[in-house]
């Protein structure tokens, strides 16, 4: 009986932890990610190292356009 009680308490604890993480916005990080011709590109313009070295890079020619926007990482 003690084992069953401990397992039930553990399951309840895990549900509470999951609820707290999901509602706190801890996992809700927005990213600019593009998949184009099998490659995945990410926006790095907000990173600290890029801010320091951005004058070394220049924009190239336009390679395509965005056809679909998704909020799910599973759609990549």
């Amino acid at each position: 009986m003690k084992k069953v009680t401990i397992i039930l308490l553990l399951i309840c604890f895990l549900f509470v932890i999951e609820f707290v993480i999901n509602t706190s916005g801890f996992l809700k990080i927005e990213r600019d990610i593009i998949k184009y011709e099998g490659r995945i590109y990410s926006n790095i313009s907000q990173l600290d190292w890029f801010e320091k070295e951005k004058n070394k890079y220049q924009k190239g020619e336009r390679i395509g356009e965005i056809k679909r926007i998704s909020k799910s990482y599973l759609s990549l």
Side-chain angles (χ1 to χ4, degrees), residues 10-42:
L10 181 62
I11 291 171
C12 290
F13 178 73
L14 291 174
F15 279 122
V16 169
I17 293 296
E18 180 184 354
F19 177 77
V20 169
I21 288 174
N22 287 335
T23 58
S24 68
F26 179 73
L27 299 175
K28 296 178 183 176
I29 300 171
E30 292 189 24
R31 302 269 191 233
D32 293 335
I33 300 172
I34 299 171
K35 183 177 182 181
Y36 180 72
E37 293 185 353
R39 291 188 171 187
I40 297 176
Y41 299 88
S42 178

Side-chain angles (χ1 to χ4, degrees), residues 6 16 28 43 45 57 61 72:
I6 291 173
V16 169
K28 296 178 183 176
N43 181 359
S45 61
Y57 301 94
E61 65 182 69
S72 170

